[in-house]
Amino acid sequence: AAGYALLKGWSYRNMWWVTHNTHGAFMARGVHGQALYIDPKAEMVIARFASYPIAGNAANDPVSLAAYQALAEHLLREQTSP
């Protein structure tokens, strides 16, 4: 278990953060906002380049993680639309 309140249900192993969501998404995270988010179900990869002056993701996670999930959901809807 990751042990972070903002990452409820997530785990960490071998430099990867695992969401355990229904999409099987996982990500690599840097302390200054960098991210590589992979969502296999949505066939989506997001590479985020950042250099926030303060180390830590707590300020970004509530917005960023929700945005990644919303984009994946949108892509899945597009894939199943006629």
Side-chain angles (χ1 to χ4, degrees):
Y4 288 100
L6 291 174
L7 301 178
K8 194 172 210 84
W10 289 45
S11 62
Y12 177 79
R13 184 179 176 129
N14 297 329
M15 307 299 286
W16 291 99
W17 295 86
V18 182
T19 67
H20 300 286
N21 67 12
T22 59
H23 294 191
F26 56 98
M27 70 185 297
R29 298 159 49 92
V31 297
H32 292 281
Q34 310 91 329
L36 183 63
Y37 186 87
I38 301 160
D39 187 315
K41 186 174 181 180
E43 299 180 357
M44 175 186 83
V45 175
I46 296 173
R48 179 179 181 176
F49 300 90
S51 59
Y52 295 113
I54 299 170
N57 289 302
N60 304 319
D61 282 347
V63 174
S64 298
L65 299 177
Y68 302 159
Q69 182 67 31
L71 183 54
E73 296 294 338
H74 174 75
L75 291 172
L76 285 170
R77 282 192 303 276
E78 290 292 315
Q79 291 173 2
T80 59
S81 301

